[in-house]
Amino acid sequence: MQRDGLAVLIVLASILAMALVGVAVVSPIGAESPDDAADRTVSVDATGGADAPPDRAIVQVSAVAEGDDPAAVRDELATDADALRTALESAGLTDDDYETTDYRINSPRLPPERDDGPDYRGTHAFEVTLDDPDRVGVVIDAAADSDAEVGDIEFTLSELVRAELREDAIGNAMTDARTQADAIAANGDLHVTSVAHVDATQRSFSSVSYDAAPAATPQPEADDTSVDTGDVSVEYAVEVTYNATAN
């Protein structure tokens, strides 16, 4: 029985030895990955931008009333605000498309030489958010039809499209960085292997804005106002350090 046990141990020891030899063949001692062999670095700064048509618009509209009696101004303001709401709803908007952003009745402070206007001015301001920027003209016309004022107009992006645009800008910046790094490495008799470190910073996000409603542009077959939307743009800056090896 002892001889049989000894024989089994010898066989197991032989199998283990063969396995170790196999491992040694597959992963020879001293092997290095390209990153392990990298003993130099290349650092570059780069920028990348991207733009896209806006898919969201924000319009500021206000009902306004003036007079010498604050109670009369309040009543007129309520009537004008209701007229504005009715005009917006007639244009196809719902309560979910706009919200009150400001309500005030105050006495304008004017210098004595200009103190000949009404004693009180009331404002009921609304912010209208549109998922279709082409409908901005409809909102402007609705405000005009109800004697309301149109304030700032902004063409921007939804969060989903903004994230996609940001990814495009970062991708373009990283492409520029790698192009620079490869050129620098080639001139220094080096070979870039991988990224060691990256810092990315958004430098700008530029929506299209108007301080007030632009002049109306009649449509060929409609009376709606047309507003040029332009493109929304974003720019990113990156600082990238690459691992590199000598050629």
Side-chain angles (χ1 to χ4, degrees), residues 34-35 42-48 170-187 190-198 238-245 247:
D35 289 348
V42 176
S43 297
V44 297
D45 295 335
T47 58
I170 293 173
N172 292 335
M174 290 298 291
T175 297
D176 182 27
R178 183 57 188 256
T179 300
Q180 292 186 48
D182 285 339
I184 294 171
N187 282 278
L190 299 174
H191 174 69
V192 171
T193 60
S194 63
V195 175
H197 179 74
V198 179
V238 295
E239 299 177 4
V240 190
T241 299
Y242 294 92
N243 294 313
T245 59
N247 288 330

PDB file of all heavy atoms in Angstrom, residues 34-35 42-48 170-187 190-198 238-245 247:
ATOM      1  N   PRO A  34       3.367  46.813 -23.916  1.00  0.00           N
ATOM      2  CA  PRO A  34       3.856  48.103 -24.424  1.00  0.00           C
ATOM      3  C   PRO A  34       3.850  49.190 -23.370  1.00  0.00           C
ATOM      4  O   PRO A  34       4.748  50.022 -23.318  1.00  0.00           O
ATOM      5  CB  PRO A  34       2.880  48.408 -25.568  1.00  0.00           C
ATOM      6  CG  PRO A  34       2.406  47.065 -26.030  1.00  0.00           C
ATOM      7  CD  PRO A  34       2.335  46.235 -24.786  1.00  0.00           C
ATOM      8  N   ASP A  35       2.802  49.187 -22.493  1.00  0.00           N
ATOM      9  CA  ASP A  35       2.756  50.203 -21.451  1.00  0.00           C
ATOM     10  C   ASP A  35       3.860  49.999 -20.423  1.00  0.00           C
ATOM     11  O   ASP A  35       4.422  50.966 -19.906  1.00  0.00           O
ATOM     12  CB  ASP A  35       1.394  50.183 -20.752  1.00  0.00           C
ATOM     13  CG  ASP A  35       0.296  50.712 -21.669  1.00  0.00           C
ATOM     14  OD1 ASP A  35       0.645  51.283 -22.711  1.00  0.00           O
ATOM     15  OD2 ASP A  35      -0.882  50.517 -21.329  1.00  0.00           O
ATOM     16  N   VAL A  42       4.556  61.930 -23.730  1.00  0.00           N
ATOM     17  CA  VAL A  42       4.321  63.065 -24.624  1.00  0.00           C
ATOM     18  C   VAL A  42       3.042  63.747 -24.149  1.00  0.00           C
ATOM     19  O   VAL A  42       1.994  63.107 -24.043  1.00  0.00           O
ATOM     20  CB  VAL A  42       4.161  62.615 -26.095  1.00  0.00           C
ATOM     21  CG1 VAL A  42       3.818  63.802 -26.977  1.00  0.00           C
ATOM     22  CG2 VAL A  42       5.430  61.930 -26.586  1.00  0.00           C
ATOM     23  N   SER A  43       3.100  65.052 -23.879  1.00  0.00           N
ATOM     24  CA  SER A  43       1.935  65.796 -23.389  1.00  0.00           C
ATOM     25  C   SER A  43       1.525  66.849 -24.404  1.00  0.00           C
ATOM     26  O   SER A  43       2.383  67.558 -24.958  1.00  0.00           O
ATOM     27  CB  SER A  43       2.252  66.473 -22.050  1.00  0.00           C
ATOM     28  OG  SER A  43       2.541  65.502 -21.059  1.00  0.00           O
ATOM     29  N   VAL A  44       0.208  66.968 -24.654  1.00  0.00           N
ATOM     30  CA  VAL A  44      -0.304  67.936 -25.621  1.00  0.00           C
ATOM     31  C   VAL A  44      -1.588  68.571 -25.097  1.00  0.00           C
ATOM     32  O   VAL A  44      -2.289  67.996 -24.262  1.00  0.00           O
ATOM     33  CB  VAL A  44      -0.589  67.280 -26.993  1.00  0.00           C
ATOM     34  CG1 VAL A  44       0.690  66.731 -27.607  1.00  0.00           C
ATOM     35  CG2 VAL A  44      -1.632  66.179 -26.863  1.00  0.00           C
ATOM     36  N   ASP A  45      -1.896  69.764 -25.602  1.00  0.00           N
ATOM     37  CA  ASP A  45      -3.172  70.436 -25.382  1.00  0.00           C
ATOM     38  C   ASP A  45      -3.905  70.480 -26.717  1.00  0.00           C
ATOM     39  O   ASP A  45      -3.295  70.739 -27.754  1.00  0.00           O
ATOM     40  CB  ASP A  45      -2.974  71.866 -24.877  1.00  0.00           C
ATOM     41  CG  ASP A  45      -2.315  71.911 -23.510  1.00  0.00           C
ATOM     42  OD1 ASP A  45      -2.439  70.926 -22.769  1.00  0.00           O
ATOM     43  OD2 ASP A  45      -1.687  72.941 -23.196  1.00  0.00           O
ATOM     44  N   ALA A  46      -5.208  70.241 -26.680  1.00  0.00           N
ATOM     45  CA  ALA A  46      -5.983  70.239 -27.916  1.00  0.00           C
ATOM     46  C   ALA A  46      -7.401  70.712 -27.641  1.00  0.00           C
ATOM     47  O   ALA A  46      -7.866  70.700 -26.497  1.00  0.00           O
ATOM     48  CB  ALA A  46      -5.999  68.843 -28.548  1.00  0.00           C
ATOM     49  N   THR A  47      -8.079  71.144 -28.687  1.00  0.00           N
ATOM     50  CA  THR A  47      -9.472  71.559 -28.569  1.00  0.00           C
ATOM     51  C   THR A  47     -10.296  70.860 -29.645  1.00  0.00           C
ATOM     52  O   THR A  47      -9.781  70.458 -30.686  1.00  0.00           O
ATOM     53  CB  THR A  47      -9.635  73.086 -28.738  1.00  0.00           C
ATOM     54  OG1 THR A  47      -9.121  73.479 -30.020  1.00  0.00           O
ATOM     55  CG2 THR A  47      -8.901  73.834 -27.638  1.00  0.00           C
ATOM     56  N   GLY A  48     -11.578  70.725 -29.368  1.00  0.00           N
ATOM     57  CA  GLY A  48     -12.492  70.121 -30.335  1.00  0.00           C
ATOM     58  C   GLY A  48     -13.870  70.728 -30.174  1.00  0.00           C
ATOM     59  O   GLY A  48     -14.303  71.038 -29.061  1.00  0.00           O
ATOM     60  N   ILE A 170     -15.743  66.250 -27.434  1.00  0.00           N
ATOM     61  CA  ILE A 170     -14.636  65.594 -26.744  1.00  0.00           C
ATOM     62  C   ILE A 170     -13.911  64.641 -27.682  1.00  0.00           C
ATOM     63  O   ILE A 170     -12.671  64.576 -27.693  1.00  0.00           O
ATOM     64  CB  ILE A 170     -15.151  64.839 -25.500  1.00  0.00           C
ATOM     65  CG1 ILE A 170     -15.669  65.833 -24.456  1.00  0.00           C
ATOM     66  CG2 ILE A 170     -14.056  63.966 -24.892  1.00  0.00           C
ATOM     67  CD1 ILE A 170     -16.347  65.187 -23.270  1.00  0.00           C
ATOM     68  N   GLY A 171     -14.671  63.892 -28.492  1.00  0.00           N
ATOM     69  CA  GLY A 171     -14.051  62.987 -29.457  1.00  0.00           C
ATOM     70  C   GLY A 171     -13.175  63.731 -30.442  1.00  0.00           C
ATOM     71  O   GLY A 171     -12.058  63.290 -30.770  1.00  0.00           O
ATOM     72  N   ASN A 172     -13.645  64.877 -30.929  1.00  0.00           N
ATOM     73  CA  ASN A 172     -12.849  65.678 -31.866  1.00  0.00           C
ATOM     74  C   ASN A 172     -11.589  66.223 -31.187  1.00  0.00           C
ATOM     75  O   ASN A 172     -10.517  66.287 -31.806  1.00  0.00           O
ATOM     76  CB  ASN A 172     -13.688  66.832 -32.416  1.00  0.00           C
ATOM     77  CG  ASN A 172     -14.806  66.361 -33.325  1.00  0.00           C
ATOM     78  OD1 ASN A 172     -14.716  65.284 -33.929  1.00  0.00           O
ATOM     79  ND2 ASN A 172     -15.858  67.144 -33.442  1.00  0.00           N
ATOM     80  N   ALA A 173     -11.712  66.609 -29.916  1.00  0.00           N
ATOM     81  CA  ALA A 173     -10.545  67.103 -29.190  1.00  0.00           C
ATOM     82  C   ALA A 173      -9.511  66.001 -28.986  1.00  0.00           C
ATOM     83  O   ALA A 173      -8.301  66.223 -29.145  1.00  0.00           O
ATOM     84  CB  ALA A 173     -10.974  67.677 -27.831  1.00  0.00           C
ATOM     85  N   MET A 174      -9.975  64.797 -28.654  1.00  0.00           N
ATOM     86  CA  MET A 174      -9.041  63.677 -28.456  1.00  0.00           C
ATOM     87  C   MET A 174      -8.382  63.263 -29.767  1.00  0.00           C
ATOM     88  O   MET A 174      -7.205  62.879 -29.789  1.00  0.00           O
ATOM     89  CB  MET A 174      -9.782  62.499 -27.834  1.00  0.00           C
ATOM     90  CG  MET A 174     -10.204  62.726 -26.383  1.00  0.00           C
ATOM     91  SD  MET A 174      -8.790  62.981 -25.277  1.00  0.00           S
ATOM     92  CE  MET A 174      -8.061  61.335 -25.295  1.00  0.00           C
ATOM     93  N   THR A 175      -9.110  63.338 -30.862  1.00  0.00           N
ATOM     94  CA  THR A 175      -8.515  63.030 -32.170  1.00  0.00           C
ATOM     95  C   THR A 175      -7.408  64.023 -32.495  1.00  0.00           C
ATOM     96  O   THR A 175      -6.326  63.642 -32.963  1.00  0.00           O
ATOM     97  CB  THR A 175      -9.595  63.064 -33.265  1.00  0.00           C
ATOM     98  OG1 THR A 175     -10.569  62.049 -33.001  1.00  0.00           O
ATOM     99  CG2 THR A 175      -8.982  62.813 -34.639  1.00  0.00           C
ATOM    100  N   ASP A 176      -7.672  65.298 -32.227  1.00  0.00           N
ATOM    101  CA  ASP A 176      -6.662  66.323 -32.467  1.00  0.00           C
ATOM    102  C   ASP A 176      -5.451  66.089 -31.572  1.00  0.00           C
ATOM    103  O   ASP A 176      -4.295  66.227 -32.003  1.00  0.00           O
ATOM    104  CB  ASP A 176      -7.272  67.702 -32.201  1.00  0.00           C
ATOM    105  CG  ASP A 176      -6.295  68.838 -32.463  1.00  0.00           C
ATOM    106  OD1 ASP A 176      -5.388  68.668 -33.293  1.00  0.00           O
ATOM    107  OD2 ASP A 176      -6.438  69.907 -31.836  1.00  0.00           O
ATOM    108  N   ALA A 177      -5.703  65.719 -30.305  1.00  0.00           N
ATOM    109  CA  ALA A 177      -4.598  65.477 -29.376  1.00  0.00           C
ATOM    110  C   ALA A 177      -3.723  64.321 -29.859  1.00  0.00           C
ATOM    111  O   ALA A 177      -2.488  64.405 -29.825  1.00  0.00           O
ATOM    112  CB  ALA A 177      -5.149  65.183 -27.985  1.00  0.00           C
ATOM    113  N   ARG A 178      -4.338  63.234 -30.313  1.00  0.00           N
ATOM    114  CA  ARG A 178      -3.546  62.079 -30.765  1.00  0.00           C
ATOM    115  C   ARG A 178      -2.746  62.419 -32.021  1.00  0.00           C
ATOM    116  O   ARG A 178      -1.594  61.999 -32.167  1.00  0.00           O
ATOM    117  CB  ARG A 178      -4.472  60.891 -31.027  1.00  0.00           C
ATOM    118  CG  ARG A 178      -3.710  59.613 -31.443  1.00  0.00           C
ATOM    119  CD  ARG A 178      -2.681  59.212 -30.391  1.00  0.00           C
ATOM    120  NE  ARG A 178      -1.827  58.131 -30.832  1.00  0.00           N
ATOM    121  CZ  ARG A 178      -1.956  56.867 -30.414  1.00  0.00           C
ATOM    122  NH1 ARG A 178      -2.901  56.534 -29.555  1.00  0.00           N
ATOM    123  NH2 ARG A 178      -1.121  55.932 -30.840  1.00  0.00           N
ATOM    124  N   THR A 179      -3.345  63.203 -32.911  1.00  0.00           N
ATOM    125  CA  THR A 179      -2.618  63.626 -34.119  1.00  0.00           C
ATOM    126  C   THR A 179      -1.380  64.423 -33.742  1.00  0.00           C
ATOM    127  O   THR A 179      -0.288  64.216 -34.291  1.00  0.00           O
ATOM    128  CB  THR A 179      -3.535  64.460 -35.025  1.00  0.00           C
ATOM    129  OG1 THR A 179      -4.666  63.670 -35.414  1.00  0.00           O
ATOM    130  CG2 THR A 179      -2.793  64.921 -36.271  1.00  0.00           C
ATOM    131  N   GLN A 180      -1.542  65.347 -32.788  1.00  0.00           N
ATOM    132  CA  GLN A 180      -0.396  66.135 -32.335  1.00  0.00           C
ATOM    133  C   GLN A 180       0.660  65.241 -31.688  1.00  0.00           C
ATOM    134  O   GLN A 180       1.868  65.387 -31.943  1.00  0.00           O
ATOM    135  CB  GLN A 180      -0.849  67.197 -31.340  1.00  0.00           C
ATOM    136  CG  GLN A 180      -1.702  68.308 -31.911  1.00  0.00           C
ATOM    137  CD  GLN A 180      -1.965  69.383 -30.869  1.00  0.00           C
ATOM    138  OE1 GLN A 180      -1.044  69.847 -30.190  1.00  0.00           O
ATOM    139  NE2 GLN A 180      -3.227  69.762 -30.720  1.00  0.00           N
ATOM    140  N   ALA A 181       0.216  64.342 -30.820  1.00  0.00           N
ATOM    141  CA  ALA A 181       1.154  63.481 -30.097  1.00  0.00           C
ATOM    142  C   ALA A 181       1.938  62.590 -31.053  1.00  0.00           C
ATOM    143  O   ALA A 181       3.156  62.406 -30.888  1.00  0.00           O
ATOM    144  CB  ALA A 181       0.404  62.632 -29.081  1.00  0.00           C
ATOM    145  N   ASP A 182       1.258  62.030 -32.061  1.00  0.00           N
ATOM    146  CA  ASP A 182       1.946  61.174 -33.029  1.00  0.00           C
ATOM    147  C   ASP A 182       2.990  61.969 -33.806  1.00  0.00           C
ATOM    148  O   ASP A 182       4.088  61.474 -34.074  1.00  0.00           O
ATOM    149  CB  ASP A 182       0.934  60.553 -33.997  1.00  0.00           C
ATOM    150  CG  ASP A 182       0.126  59.432 -33.350  1.00  0.00           C
ATOM    151  OD1 ASP A 182       0.587  58.884 -32.337  1.00  0.00           O
ATOM    152  OD2 ASP A 182      -0.962  59.115 -33.867  1.00  0.00           O
ATOM    153  N   ALA A 183       2.652  63.217 -34.163  1.00  0.00           N
ATOM    154  CA  ALA A 183       3.607  64.049 -34.902  1.00  0.00           C
ATOM    155  C   ALA A 183       4.821  64.390 -34.043  1.00  0.00           C
ATOM    156  O   ALA A 183       5.967  64.334 -34.501  1.00  0.00           O
ATOM    157  CB  ALA A 183       2.913  65.322 -35.391  1.00  0.00           C
ATOM    158  N   ILE A 184       4.576  64.736 -32.775  1.00  0.00           N
ATOM    159  CA  ILE A 184       5.677  65.051 -31.867  1.00  0.00           C
ATOM    160  C   ILE A 184       6.554  63.820 -31.633  1.00  0.00           C
ATOM    161  O   ILE A 184       7.792  63.891 -31.663  1.00  0.00           O
ATOM    162  CB  ILE A 184       5.128  65.576 -30.536  1.00  0.00           C
ATOM    163  CG1 ILE A 184       4.436  66.925 -30.751  1.00  0.00           C
ATOM    164  CG2 ILE A 184       6.243  65.708 -29.498  1.00  0.00           C
ATOM    165  CD1 ILE A 184       3.667  67.421 -29.539  1.00  0.00           C
ATOM    166  N   ALA A 185       5.921  62.671 -31.417  1.00  0.00           N
ATOM    167  CA  ALA A 185       6.675  61.440 -31.167  1.00  0.00           C
ATOM    168  C   ALA A 185       7.518  61.059 -32.366  1.00  0.00           C
ATOM    169  O   ALA A 185       8.694  60.668 -32.226  1.00  0.00           O
ATOM    170  CB  ALA A 185       5.706  60.310 -30.816  1.00  0.00           C
ATOM    171  N   ALA A 186       6.942  61.177 -33.559  1.00  0.00           N
ATOM    172  CA  ALA A 186       7.686  60.805 -34.767  1.00  0.00           C
ATOM    173  C   ALA A 186       8.924  61.673 -34.938  1.00  0.00           C
ATOM    174  O   ALA A 186       9.985  61.190 -35.350  1.00  0.00           O
ATOM    175  CB  ALA A 186       6.774  60.934 -35.993  1.00  0.00           C
ATOM    176  N   ASN A 187       8.798  62.939 -34.592  1.00  0.00           N
ATOM    177  CA  ASN A 187       9.952  63.836 -34.711  1.00  0.00           C
ATOM    178  C   ASN A 187      10.966  63.626 -33.590  1.00  0.00           C
ATOM    179  O   ASN A 187      12.084  64.141 -33.677  1.00  0.00           O
ATOM    180  CB  ASN A 187       9.483  65.293 -34.715  1.00  0.00           C
ATOM    181  CG  ASN A 187       8.925  65.717 -36.057  1.00  0.00           C
ATOM    182  OD1 ASN A 187       9.669  66.070 -36.966  1.00  0.00           O
ATOM    183  ND2 ASN A 187       7.609  65.664 -36.200  1.00  0.00           N
ATOM    184  N   LEU A 190      10.119  58.542 -31.328  1.00  0.00           N
ATOM    185  CA  LEU A 190       9.355  57.827 -30.316  1.00  0.00           C
ATOM    186  C   LEU A 190       8.106  57.218 -30.945  1.00  0.00           C
ATOM    187  O   LEU A 190       7.729  57.551 -32.065  1.00  0.00           O
ATOM    188  CB  LEU A 190       8.920  58.781 -29.184  1.00  0.00           C
ATOM    189  CG  LEU A 190      10.025  59.471 -28.384  1.00  0.00           C
ATOM    190  CD1 LEU A 190       9.416  60.472 -27.425  1.00  0.00           C
ATOM    191  CD2 LEU A 190      10.859  58.443 -27.616  1.00  0.00           C
ATOM    192  N   HIS A 191       7.482  56.344 -30.173  1.00  0.00           N
ATOM    193  CA  HIS A 191       6.228  55.714 -30.604  1.00  0.00           C
ATOM    194  C   HIS A 191       5.221  55.804 -29.462  1.00  0.00           C
ATOM    195  O   HIS A 191       5.486  55.330 -28.356  1.00  0.00           O
ATOM    196  CB  HIS A 191       6.467  54.248 -30.982  1.00  0.00           C
ATOM    197  CG  HIS A 191       5.195  53.515 -31.298  1.00  0.00           C
ATOM    198  ND1 HIS A 191       4.449  53.774 -32.414  1.00  0.00           N
ATOM    199  CD2 HIS A 191       4.530  52.546 -30.599  1.00  0.00           C
ATOM    200  CE1 HIS A 191       3.383  52.989 -32.423  1.00  0.00           C
ATOM    201  NE2 HIS A 191       3.406  52.233 -31.329  1.00  0.00           N
ATOM    202  N   VAL A 192       4.058  56.438 -29.728  1.00  0.00           N
ATOM    203  CA  VAL A 192       3.020  56.572 -28.717  1.00  0.00           C
ATOM    204  C   VAL A 192       2.335  55.223 -28.512  1.00  0.00           C
ATOM    205  O   VAL A 192       1.951  54.557 -29.478  1.00  0.00           O
ATOM    206  CB  VAL A 192       1.978  57.634 -29.132  1.00  0.00           C
ATOM    207  CG1 VAL A 192       0.780  57.618 -28.184  1.00  0.00           C
ATOM    208  CG2 VAL A 192       2.612  59.015 -29.160  1.00  0.00           C
ATOM    209  N   THR A 193       2.164  54.828 -27.248  1.00  0.00           N
ATOM    210  CA  THR A 193       1.550  53.528 -26.970  1.00  0.00           C
ATOM    211  C   THR A 193       0.137  53.644 -26.414  1.00  0.00           C
ATOM    212  O   THR A 193      -0.766  52.919 -26.831  1.00  0.00           O
ATOM    213  CB  THR A 193       2.410  52.732 -25.979  1.00  0.00           C
ATOM    214  OG1 THR A 193       2.523  53.473 -24.749  1.00  0.00           O
ATOM    215  CG2 THR A 193       3.792  52.463 -26.563  1.00  0.00           C
ATOM    216  N   SER A 194      -0.088  54.553 -25.456  1.00  0.00           N
ATOM    217  CA  SER A 194      -1.407  54.631 -24.829  1.00  0.00           C
ATOM    218  C   SER A 194      -1.536  55.949 -24.085  1.00  0.00           C
ATOM    219  O   SER A 194      -0.584  56.718 -23.954  1.00  0.00           O
ATOM    220  CB  SER A 194      -1.611  53.465 -23.863  1.00  0.00           C
ATOM    221  OG  SER A 194      -0.655  53.548 -22.807  1.00  0.00           O
ATOM    222  N   VAL A 195      -2.747  56.186 -23.577  1.00  0.00           N
ATOM    223  CA  VAL A 195      -3.019  57.403 -22.799  1.00  0.00           C
ATOM    224  C   VAL A 195      -2.663  57.144 -21.337  1.00  0.00           C
ATOM    225  O   VAL A 195      -3.092  56.163 -20.743  1.00  0.00           O
ATOM    226  CB  VAL A 195      -4.503  57.803 -22.915  1.00  0.00           C
ATOM    227  CG1 VAL A 195      -4.804  58.983 -22.006  1.00  0.00           C
ATOM    228  CG2 VAL A 195      -4.856  58.146 -24.363  1.00  0.00           C
ATOM    229  N   ALA A 196      -1.902  58.058 -20.764  1.00  0.00           N
ATOM    230  CA  ALA A 196      -1.545  57.961 -19.350  1.00  0.00           C
ATOM    231  C   ALA A 196      -2.440  58.827 -18.479  1.00  0.00           C
ATOM    232  O   ALA A 196      -2.803  58.442 -17.363  1.00  0.00           O
ATOM    233  CB  ALA A 196      -0.086  58.364 -19.155  1.00  0.00           C
ATOM    234  N   HIS A 197      -2.849  60.003 -18.987  1.00  0.00           N
ATOM    235  CA  HIS A 197      -3.649  60.916 -18.176  1.00  0.00           C
ATOM    236  C   HIS A 197      -4.396  61.882 -19.086  1.00  0.00           C
ATOM    237  O   HIS A 197      -3.856  62.305 -20.120  1.00  0.00           O
ATOM    238  CB  HIS A 197      -2.744  61.708 -17.218  1.00  0.00           C
ATOM    239  CG  HIS A 197      -3.484  62.682 -16.357  1.00  0.00           C
ATOM    240  ND1 HIS A 197      -4.255  62.292 -15.290  1.00  0.00           N
ATOM    241  CD2 HIS A 197      -3.578  64.043 -16.416  1.00  0.00           C
ATOM    242  CE1 HIS A 197      -4.783  63.356 -14.726  1.00  0.00           C
ATOM    243  NE2 HIS A 197      -4.387  64.433 -15.392  1.00  0.00           N
ATOM    244  N   VAL A 198      -5.642  62.235 -18.701  1.00  0.00           N
ATOM    245  CA  VAL A 198      -6.453  63.172 -19.480  1.00  0.00           C
ATOM    246  C   VAL A 198      -7.190  64.116 -18.538  1.00  0.00           C
ATOM    247  O   VAL A 198      -7.747  63.690 -17.525  1.00  0.00           O
ATOM    248  CB  VAL A 198      -7.499  62.449 -20.362  1.00  0.00           C
ATOM    249  CG1 VAL A 198      -8.326  63.471 -21.138  1.00  0.00           C
ATOM    250  CG2 VAL A 198      -6.841  61.492 -21.320  1.00  0.00           C
ATOM    251  N   VAL A 238      -8.790  69.663 -24.019  1.00  0.00           N
ATOM    252  CA  VAL A 238      -8.228  68.511 -23.322  1.00  0.00           C
ATOM    253  C   VAL A 238      -6.723  68.677 -23.161  1.00  0.00           C
ATOM    254  O   VAL A 238      -6.051  69.272 -24.006  1.00  0.00           O
ATOM    255  CB  VAL A 238      -8.521  67.180 -24.074  1.00  0.00           C
ATOM    256  CG1 VAL A 238     -10.003  66.891 -24.107  1.00  0.00           C
ATOM    257  CG2 VAL A 238      -7.956  67.203 -25.490  1.00  0.00           C
ATOM    258  N   GLU A 239      -6.211  68.179 -22.047  1.00  0.00           N
ATOM    259  CA  GLU A 239      -4.773  68.059 -21.808  1.00  0.00           C
ATOM    260  C   GLU A 239      -4.480  66.569 -21.661  1.00  0.00           C
ATOM    261  O   GLU A 239      -4.979  65.945 -20.733  1.00  0.00           O
ATOM    262  CB  GLU A 239      -4.364  68.813 -20.544  1.00  0.00           C
ATOM    263  CG  GLU A 239      -4.640  70.308 -20.592  1.00  0.00           C
ATOM    264  CD  GLU A 239      -4.293  71.012 -19.295  1.00  0.00           C
ATOM    265  OE1 GLU A 239      -3.758  70.323 -18.391  1.00  0.00           O
ATOM    266  OE2 GLU A 239      -4.547  72.213 -19.188  1.00  0.00           O
ATOM    267  N   VAL A 240      -3.710  66.023 -22.581  1.00  0.00           N
ATOM    268  CA  VAL A 240      -3.495  64.585 -22.626  1.00  0.00           C
ATOM    269  C   VAL A 240      -2.005  64.265 -22.517  1.00  0.00           C
ATOM    270  O   VAL A 240      -1.176  64.879 -23.198  1.00  0.00           O
ATOM    271  CB  VAL A 240      -4.044  63.969 -23.927  1.00  0.00           C
ATOM    272  CG1 VAL A 240      -4.036  62.449 -23.847  1.00  0.00           C
ATOM    273  CG2 VAL A 240      -5.462  64.475 -24.220  1.00  0.00           C
ATOM    274  N   THR A 241      -1.700  63.308 -21.654  1.00  0.00           N
ATOM    275  CA  THR A 241      -0.338  62.784 -21.550  1.00  0.00           C
ATOM    276  C   THR A 241      -0.340  61.339 -22.033  1.00  0.00           C
ATOM    277  O   THR A 241      -1.140  60.524 -21.572  1.00  0.00           O
ATOM    278  CB  THR A 241       0.178  62.845 -20.104  1.00  0.00           C
ATOM    279  OG1 THR A 241       0.206  64.210 -19.677  1.00  0.00           O
ATOM    280  CG2 THR A 241       1.590  62.255 -20.005  1.00  0.00           C
ATOM    281  N   TYR A 242       0.528  61.040 -23.001  1.00  0.00           N
ATOM    282  CA  TYR A 242       0.614  59.696 -23.597  1.00  0.00           C
ATOM    283  C   TYR A 242       1.876  59.006 -23.137  1.00  0.00           C
ATOM    284  O   TYR A 242       2.944  59.640 -22.957  1.00  0.00           O
ATOM    285  CB  TYR A 242       0.642  59.790 -25.123  1.00  0.00           C
ATOM    286  CG  TYR A 242      -0.632  60.311 -25.746  1.00  0.00           C
ATOM    287  CD1 TYR A 242      -0.795  61.666 -25.992  1.00  0.00           C
ATOM    288  CD2 TYR A 242      -1.671  59.448 -26.106  1.00  0.00           C
ATOM    289  CE1 TYR A 242      -1.959  62.158 -26.571  1.00  0.00           C
ATOM    290  CE2 TYR A 242      -2.839  59.930 -26.691  1.00  0.00           C
ATOM    291  CZ  TYR A 242      -2.967  61.288 -26.906  1.00  0.00           C
ATOM    292  OH  TYR A 242      -4.120  61.767 -27.484  1.00  0.00           O
ATOM    293  N   ASN A 243       1.791  57.682 -22.954  1.00  0.00           N
ATOM    294  CA  ASN A 243       2.980  56.871 -22.779  1.00  0.00           C
ATOM    295  C   ASN A 243       3.661  56.699 -24.132  1.00  0.00           C
ATOM    296  O   ASN A 243       2.991  56.613 -25.169  1.00  0.00           O
ATOM    297  CB  ASN A 243       2.613  55.490 -22.220  1.00  0.00           C
ATOM    298  CG  ASN A 243       2.064  55.572 -20.821  1.00  0.00           C
ATOM    299  OD1 ASN A 243       2.619  56.244 -19.962  1.00  0.00           O
ATOM    300  ND2 ASN A 243       0.951  54.891 -20.574  1.00  0.00           N
ATOM    301  N   ALA A 244       4.972  56.622 -24.119  1.00  0.00           N
ATOM    302  CA  ALA A 244       5.705  56.478 -25.372  1.00  0.00           C
ATOM    303  C   ALA A 244       6.970  55.652 -25.143  1.00  0.00           C
ATOM    304  O   ALA A 244       7.519  55.611 -24.040  1.00  0.00           O
ATOM    305  CB  ALA A 244       6.068  57.835 -25.949  1.00  0.00           C
ATOM    306  N   THR A 245       7.424  55.015 -26.201  1.00  0.00           N
ATOM    307  CA  THR A 245       8.672  54.239 -26.167  1.00  0.00           C
ATOM    308  C   THR A 245       9.571  54.708 -27.291  1.00  0.00           C
ATOM    309  O   THR A 245       9.115  55.278 -28.294  1.00  0.00           O
ATOM    310  CB  THR A 245       8.394  52.735 -26.331  1.00  0.00           C
ATOM    311  OG1 THR A 245       7.725  52.510 -27.583  1.00  0.00           O
ATOM    312  CG2 THR A 245       7.539  52.213 -25.210  1.00  0.00           C
ATOM    313  N   ASN A 247      11.796  54.266 -30.565  1.00  0.00           N
ATOM    314  CA  ASN A 247      11.747  53.371 -31.737  1.00  0.00           C
ATOM    315  C   ASN A 247      13.005  52.505 -31.809  1.00  0.00           C
ATOM    316  O   ASN A 247      14.066  52.897 -31.374  1.00  0.00           O
ATOM    317  CB  ASN A 247      11.594  54.192 -33.021  1.00  0.00           C
ATOM    318  CG  ASN A 247      10.204  54.786 -33.134  1.00  0.00           C
ATOM    319  OD1 ASN A 247       9.238  54.206 -32.630  1.00  0.00           O
ATOM    320  ND2 ASN A 247      10.094  55.935 -33.771  1.00  0.00           N
TER     321      ASN A 247
END
